[in-house]
């Protein structure tokens, strides 16, 4: 017997507005300010690691990570390892990128790494299906949507706030599940 509640998940159809969602204005969204503040524990979206490695995260993100507890999803590890797999071994920057990703994953404290449970995986798949249909996502965006939905619901279930630079997709998720929590930043 699985921990997944199929019937309860299907009732999630109530979150389906049955229309395409529009990106809201920035002043309607929870953006990280100029100064980091204490608050809820964070779950980091994969872009936080990548933006940090590429120098695209604003300084306030590092300040925030110094103040709050950071948690990691196996979804982010999966996406980082996918990146390692798709890098061109002949490219001169590949070895450095792989080393940096390896260091990043290696520095994740095991007690701060969480795997989504069957309920989160099932509901994340349903939510991503709704999102893909509403927004007309094509093949490339569908896997990304699935991973974002699972990470978002996992953070919600654990009581964490998702830190992300992926404003568009997580704005849609907040519209579909307003009880979820995300904190946005703009890449530099």
């Amino acid at each position: 017997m699985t921990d997944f509640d199929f019937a309860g998940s299907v009732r999630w159809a109530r979150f389906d507005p049955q229309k395409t969602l529009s990106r809201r204005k920035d002043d309607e969204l929870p953006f990280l300010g100029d100064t980091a503040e204490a608050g809820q524990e964070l779950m980091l979206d994969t872009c936080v690691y990548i933006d940090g490695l590429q120098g695209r995260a604003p300084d306030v993100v590092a300040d925030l990570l110094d103040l709050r507890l950071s948690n990691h999803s196996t979804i982010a590890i999966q996406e980082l390892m996918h990146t390692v797999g798709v890098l061109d071994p002949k490219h001169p920057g590949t070895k450095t990128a792989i080393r940096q990703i390896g260091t990043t994953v290696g520095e994740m404290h095991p007690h701060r790494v969480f795997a989504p449970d069957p309920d989160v995986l099932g509901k994340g798949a349903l939510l991503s299906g709704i999102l893909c249909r509403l927004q007309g996502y094509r093949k490339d965006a569908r896997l990304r949507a699935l991973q974002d939905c699972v990470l978002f619901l996992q953070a919600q279930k654990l009581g964490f706030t998702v830190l992300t630079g992926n404003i568009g997709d997580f704005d849609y998720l907040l519209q579909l599940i307003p009880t979820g929590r995300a904190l946005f930043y703009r890449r530099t």
Side-chain angles (χ1 to χ4, degrees):
M1 189 78 119
T2 179
D3 288 336
F4 177 61
D5 176 13
F6 179 82
S9 294
V10 172
R11 284 192 300 270
W12 269 44
R14 71 181 184 276
F15 295 120
D16 185 350
Q18 300 181 6
K19 64 179 181 177
T20 302
L21 301 170
S22 297
R23 164 84 161 74
R24 295 178 290 179
K25 295 177 184 175
D26 284 359
D27 61 2
E28 298 175 54
L29 299 174
F31 271 91
L32 183 55
D34 294 332
T35 4
E37 297 177 4
Q40 282 185 311
E41 291 184 37
L42 302 170
M43 179 160 278
L44 307 183
D45 187 12
T46 309
C47 64
V48 177
Y49 307 102
I50 293 170
D51 290 343
L53 291 172
Q54 294 180 344
R56 297 186 313 191
D59 292 340
V60 71
V61 168
D63 295 342
L64 185 69
L65 296 177
D66 286 341
L67 280 176
R68 297 194 193 183
L69 289 175
S70 296
N71 299 283
H72 315 280
S73 175
T74 55
I75 296 296
I77 294 171
Q78 184 182 41
E79 288 182 311
L80 289 168
M81 294 311 297
H82 176 79
T83 299
V84 169
V86 299
L87 289 172
D88 179 359
K90 297 175 186 171
H91 189 279
T94 294
K95 285 184 182 179
T96 301
I98 290 173
R99 189 172 43 254
Q100 289 175 323
I101 291 170
T103 299
T104 298
V105 172
E107 289 177 349
M108 294 176 183
H109 298 289
H111 67 282
R112 294 273 169 214
V113 176
F114 297 91
D117 63 29
D119 190 55
V120 166
L121 290 170
K123 287 178 180 171
L126 178 63
L127 183 61
S128 73
I130 292 170
L131 185 62
C132 289
R133 178 176 40 79
L134 291 175
Q135 300 307 110
Y137 286 174
R138 298 290 173 230
K139 287 185 181 185
D140 291 349
R142 289 180 180 173
L143 179 58
R144 187 187 75 233
L146 175 61
Q147 292 166 325
D148 288 345
C149 289
V150 170
L151 182 87
F152 180 75
L153 293 176
Q154 181 185 25
Q156 181 183 26
K157 185 170 192 171
L158 296 170
F160 303 149
T161 298
V162 176
L163 178 63
T164 185
N166 181 355
I167 301 160
D169 291 329
F170 280 86
D171 174 24
Y172 299 148
L173 292 175
L174 286 172
Q175 289 180 56
L176 292 171
I177 312 285
T179 56
R181 290 172 301 279
L183 185 57
F184 298 115
Y185 65 88
R186 286 226 178 270
R187 296 175 174 111
T188 56

